[in-house]
Structure formats: structure tokens, C-alpha cells
């Protein structure tokens, strides 16, 4: 059980108040070792704003075992209420660490989501980076959330880790709908991480990431993300207005 002092509430959403290293070593890896089911949400301002607009989605996020702080806006909000979070915990970085852990521990990973060619390329790149990684299976993200054939395909592959790249809010909705049908597995929504892993989207340089300005880099590189960035500013405005 997570202790109350180990999370910070931002607009009713409890964010894990740990470094990436601590989150992995003391919370996530132990659950994998014990084959305990685990639901991870990579929380950012966009997700928080969605929980304010959609009560059903809010309950889904609140049902997660861990909400990790993947967003500079979350860190700013935590600092403002004098409960600072030590660092941004990127969902992409956690996914890569999980792949590395899976390779060493012999765990099976399933890649669910993204476009067909992106999904296949991401799997090939994962195999290249982690030669001994066990790929349980993979499937693109163009299907109905209730499709039983997809659930059966994932279950039959006997995965230990299921990366779900369906975007917000579909990835969390799919996990919430079907996690009870599994006896084990770490389920994590990873957004556009398959695109980065596949090499279709270039990640920001390390110095930009360290300055928590990756969102700005992505906006410059992908101007069509502007509407999503608006949600970040809306989050900051509403948070500070409330305070």
C-alpha cells in the first residue's frame, strides 16, 4: 500500500511523489516480481484537465495504482502548494526502463496501439535495443475498445507488461475496461511513446529535457499539437486561479 506522504494531490489527482529511480525500485519492479497487477497512468496537465471535464474518466484515473508526474506543469503546481515533486517522471523513460528490466528478468511485453507501421517499427526497435527481450505480441490501435478479439489476443500471449498506446483517454479506458479479465500484468498508457521508440518522432535534446521544456520542443517540431498545449496553459491558469 502506498503511504499518504508518498503522493501529492493536484486537482484531486494523487501523483506519486518519488524520483523515477525510487518509483521503479520501490513500487513498480516489486509488483512485477510478485506478478501483481498494476495500472500506471502517466499523468500530465492534459490528463488532469480531462478528469475535470469527464467524471467517468476521473474515476478511471483514480483507480490507477500509480499516477506518475509526466509534465512540467504538474511539477510547477506541486511546488506552488509547497509539496515539491523531486523530478518529472517521463512515461517514455519509464517504458524504456521497463523494457530493460523485462529483458533481464525474462518478462514478456505486449505492444498495443499506434498505427500499424509504427507499432511494427517500435517492436523491431525494441528488439534491436534489447536483443533478449521477449515480445509476447503486438497489435495496432485501430479497434473498438470493447472488441473481445483484442482482449483475447493480449491474454493468450501471457504478457507480464502491456504498453497501451491509444492516446488519451482511450488507453486508460481500455485498461480500466479489461484489466479485471487478466490474472497478472503491468498495464501502462504510453501515449505517443511508440512513435519515439520507432524513430518517427525525434525526442528533445537532453539539455531541453532537463530544463523541463520538452513540451516546447515538441510544439515547435509538431505545431499541430497546439490545441493540446492550450490545455497545459488552461491547467496552470485554473490551478493558480483556484489557489
Amino acid at each position: 500500500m502506498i503511504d499518504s506522504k508518498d503522493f501529492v494531490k493536484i486537482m484531486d489527482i494523487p501523483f506519486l511523489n518519488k524520483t523515477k529511480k525510487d518509483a521503479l525500485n520501490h513500487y513498480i519492479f516489486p509488483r512485477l516480481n510478485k506478478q501483481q497487477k498494476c495500472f500506471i497512468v502517466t499523468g500530465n496537465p492534459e490528463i488532469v484537465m480531462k478528469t475535470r471535464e469527464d467524471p467517468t474518466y476521473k474515476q478511471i484515473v483514480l483507480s490507477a495504482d500509480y499516477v506518475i508526474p509526466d509534465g512540467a506543469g504538474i511539477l510547477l503546481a506541486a511546488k506552488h502548494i509547497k509539496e515539491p515533486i523531486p523530478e518529472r517522471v517521463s512515461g517514455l523513460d519509464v517504458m524504456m526502463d521497463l523494457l530493460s528490466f523485462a529483458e533481464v528478468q525474462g518478462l514478456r511485453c505486449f505492444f498495443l496501439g499506434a498505427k500499424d507501421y509504427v507499432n511494427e517499427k517500435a517492436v523491431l526497435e525494441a528488439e534491436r535495443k534489447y536483443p533478449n527481450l521477449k515480445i509476447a505480441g503486438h497489435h495496432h490501435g485501430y479497434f473498438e475498445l470493447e472488441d473481445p478479439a483484442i482482449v483475447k489476443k493480449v491474454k493468450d500471449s501471457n504478457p507480464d507488461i502491456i504498453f497501451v498506446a491509444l492516446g488519451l483517454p482511450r488507453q486508460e479506458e481500455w485498461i480500466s475496461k479489461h484489466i479485471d479479465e487478466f490474472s497478472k500484468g503491468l498495464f501502462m498508457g504510453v501515449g505517443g511513446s511508440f512513435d519515439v521508440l520507432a524513430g518517427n518522432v525525434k525526442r528533445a535534446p537532453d539539455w531541453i529535457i532537463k530544463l523541463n521544456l520538452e513540451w516546447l520542443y515538441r510544439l515547435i517540431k509538431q505545431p499541430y499539437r497546439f490545441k493540446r498545449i492550450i490545455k497545459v496553459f488552461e491547467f496552470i491558469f485554473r490551478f493558480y486561479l483556484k489557489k
Side-chain angles (χ1 to χ4, degrees):
M1 291 292 290
I2 187 170
D3 192 277
S4 59
K5 64 181 174 60
D6 292 332
F7 65 82
V8 175
K9 276 194 175 184
I10 305 294
M11 291 187 178
D12 296 330
I13 305 302
F15 284 85
L16 189 59
N17 188 14
K18 297 292 178 182
T19 63
K20 177 171 69 81
K21 182 179 178 180
D22 283 344
L24 288 167
N25 290 333
H26 300 301
Y27 297 93
I28 297 171
F29 290 163
R31 294 188 75 128
L32 276 170
N33 288 332
K34 296 175 184 177
Q35 292 194 329
Q36 295 176 339
K37 281 193 292 186
C38 184
F39 176 13
I40 299 175
V41 170
T42 53
N44 56 29
E46 187 181 3
I47 281 180
V48 173
M49 294 309 299
K50 182 65 177 177
T51 65
R52 289 174 59 86
E53 300 163 1
D54 186 342
T56 301
Y57 183 69
K58 181 177 182 178
Q59 291 307 309
I60 290 174
V61 173
L62 290 176
S63 75
D65 294 286
Y66 307 121
V67 182
I68 59 176
D70 184 3
I74 302 301
L75 270 63
L76 284 173
K79 185 177 181 180
H80 184 67
I81 61 174
K82 296 181 171 52
E83 294 186 61
I85 293 173
E87 65 182 17
R88 175 187 170 221
V89 181
S90 160
L92 174 62
D93 290 336
V94 171
M95 183 181 80
M96 301 307 289
D97 285 338
L98 284 169
L99 288 171
S100 178
F101 183 77
E103 180 187 34
V104 172
Q105 298 297 323
L107 302 179
R108 297 168 59 80
C109 298
F110 196 101
F111 292 73
L112 181 64
K115 294 178 180 178
D116 200 354
Y117 74 92
V118 172
N119 183 289
E120 292 183 4
K121 195 174 178 182
V123 170
L124 289 174
E125 186 61 21
E127 290 177 320
R128 186 189 69 80
K129 287 179 178 290
Y130 310 100
N132 296 315
L133 180 67
K134 295 181 179 179
I135 304 295
H138 64 98
H139 195 281
H140 62 75
Y142 292 84
F143 59 86
E144 297 295 328
L145 292 183
E146 295 80 9
D147 189 341
I150 299 299
V151 180
K152 185 177 187 304
K153 181 176 182 178
V154 179
K155 284 178 65 178
D156 288 350
S157 72
N158 190 31
D160 298 290
I161 301 173
I162 303 92
F163 299 114
V164 186
L166 301 178
L168 182 166
R170 291 184 76 236
Q171 59 194 22
E172 290 79 27
E173 290 174 345
W174 187 89
I175 294 170
S176 177
K177 283 177 182 292
H178 303 297
I179 190 170
D180 288 342
E181 300 175 51
F182 292 77
S183 60
K184 66 172 183 175
L186 182 149
F187 296 76
M188 178 178 170
V190 295
S193 293
F194 288 1
D195 284 289
V196 180
L197 176 58
N200 287 3
V201 174
K202 185 178 179 182
R203 198 173 186 193
D206 288 343
W207 67 271
I208 291 181
I209 294 173
K210 288 178 181 178
L211 290 173
N212 286 323
L213 292 175
E214 190 170 11
W215 63 272
L216 181 59
Y217 178 88
R218 293 181 71 182
L219 177 60
I220 293 171
K221 292 291 185 178
Q222 300 170 298
Y224 61 83
R225 293 173 58 88
F226 181 71
K227 289 184 179 180
R228 297 181 62 181
I229 298 301
I230 287 177
K231 285 294 180 182
V232 176
F233 289 106
E234 182 184 354
F235 164 82
I236 294 172
F237 174 78
R238 288 183 178 274
F239 185 84
Y240 280 85
L241 182 65
K242 181 180 178 181
K243 293 300 174 183

